[in-house]
């Protein structure tokens, strides 16, 4: 695997995670429950796709960077889920 494919895979996974986080933060600023739920679902789909892309990249090229990205996605997912649950409890 060449360096261009690795760079592209990393940018896609981090980009999907960033877009999911920004969408969810935008929804939290709007105090509408329907918008929060909708954007939370979209963010979870983006996090899942980013995680799967990072995992596929890890299977092709086992490196510590991909493990770090996988852990980062799990942490962002946990923070988003915690804030979603705390809103409705």
């Amino acid at each position: 695997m060449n360096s261009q494919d690795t760079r592209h895979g990393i940018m896609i996974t981090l980009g999907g995670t960033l877009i999911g986080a920004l969408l969810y933060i935008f929804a939290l600023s709007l105090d509408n429950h329907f918008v929060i739920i909708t954007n939370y679902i979209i963010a979870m789909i983006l996090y899942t796709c980013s995680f799967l892309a990072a995992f596929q990249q890890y299977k092709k090229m086992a490196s510590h960077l991909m493990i770090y990205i996988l852990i980062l996605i799990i942490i962002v997912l946990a923070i988003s889920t915690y804030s979603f649950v705390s809103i409705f409890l």
Side-chain angles (χ1 to χ4, degrees):
M1 172 176 277
N2 62 16
S3 143
Q4 188 69 19
D5 289 339
T6 304
R7 194 174 324 151
H8 185 264
I10 290 170
M11 295 304 279
I12 292 295
T13 57
L14 291 178
T17 306
L18 176 68
I19 290 172
L22 290 176
L23 275 175
Y24 186 63
I25 290 169
F26 172 71
L28 288 177
S29 68
L30 294 177
D31 291 334
N32 185 352
H33 289 304
F34 178 73
V35 174
I36 292 173
I37 292 170
T38 305
N39 281 347
Y40 175 75
I41 291 170
I42 292 170
M44 288 302 117
I45 291 170
L46 284 169
Y47 295 153
T48 305
C49 291
S50 294
F51 183 84
L52 291 175
F55 187 70
Q56 287 294 98
Q57 197 74 10
Y58 175 72
K59 286 195 316 188
K60 290 179 186 175
M61 172 201 67
S63 73
H64 297 293
L65 179 64
M66 296 313 291
I67 293 173
Y68 171 73
I69 291 174
L70 289 169
I71 292 171
L72 180 72
I73 293 170
I74 291 170
I75 290 171
V76 170
L77 183 125
I79 291 171
S80 297
T81 302
Y82 177 76
S83 67
F84 181 75
V85 169
S86 67
I87 289 172
F88 294 106
L89 289 182

